[in-house]
Amino acid sequence: MRTFLTSATLTIALLGGSVAPATAAPAAAKGPGVFVTNGDRVHISSTPPRTASAHAWWTHISGPGTKAKVTIWLQMKSGKKWHSVAKNAKNLKSGNGGSARRVVARKKCANQNKRQWRTKIDVDLIGVPDSPEKVYTKPVTVKCGV
C-alpha cells in the first residue's frame, strides 16, 4: 500500500518531490479541507484472467467534503514515456481501502514480459473546490505486457 500525504513539505521529504499536495481549497467559512490520497502498487490480480491491477481510495482528515470522485489511471512505460492503458473512476466515501471504498483499474496481460507500471490518481472532493494535482505511485516491474 502507498499513502500520499497532503502536506507538500512532508510529501517532498518522503517521496523526493514526485507527488503534488492534495489539499482542498477554502470553502465558504469552513476553511480548507485536508485529505490523503491512497493507492497500492500495480500487481497481478489474484482473480482471472491475468491482469495488471491497482486500487485507489482517499481518507478524510479535516474540513468539508464527505464524498469524492476518485479516478485512477493504470500506466505502463514504453521507451521513455508513460502511457495510460486503463482508467476507472468512482464516487467514494472516505475509507481505508476496503473493497467497498476503493476504485480499481485493470488491464489484461497479453504476455509475461517484464514492464514498468505505475498509477496516476486524482481525488476530487464533491461539492468542494480542491487542487488539481495528481498523485503517482512508485514504478514497479511486473510480468505483464500489453
Side-chain angles (χ1 to χ4, degrees):
M1 176 178 59
R2 194 77 173 164
T3 300
F4 302 95
L5 301 178
T6 59
S7 165
T9 305
L10 189 53
T11 298
I12 290 168
L14 292 174
L15 301 172
S18 63
V19 177
T23 303
K30 291 186 179 182
V34 179
F35 58 88
V36 179
T37 299
N38 295 294
D40 59 7
R41 291 185 180 174
V42 178
H43 56 277
I44 298 299
S45 177
S46 61
T47 57
R50 185 177 175 81
T51 59
S53 178
H55 307 92
W57 63 96
W58 73 290
T59 306
H60 178 263
I61 303 298
S62 67
T66 59
K67 282 188 99 175
K69 179 180 180 184
V70 180
T71 306
I72 183 172
W73 291 264
L74 194 58
Q75 297 186 322
M76 187 180 73
K77 193 171 189 180
S78 180
K80 293 184 179 183
K81 294 188 178 188
W82 289 97
H83 300 278
S84 294
V85 297
K87 175 184 174 185
N88 199 8
K90 191 174 179 182
N91 292 344
L92 301 171
K93 290 184 178 181
S94 172
N96 62 4
S99 62
R101 295 200 178 178
R102 68 184 183 195
V103 61
V104 63
R106 292 172 55 121
K107 182 65 177 176
K108 187 175 178 182
C109 302
N111 55 56
Q112 291 192 35
N113 295 341
K114 290 183 180 179
R115 301 300 296 264
Q116 286 284 301
W117 291 84
R118 72 177 185 186
T119 58
K120 177 170 76 169
I121 304 167
D122 184 31
V123 173
D124 288 318
L125 296 177
I126 296 173
V128 179
D130 62 73
S131 65
E133 287 85 11
K134 314 287 189 284
V135 168
Y136 294 88
T137 57
K138 183 178 178 180
V140 294
T141 301
V142 177
K143 289 183 177 181
C144 179
V146 295

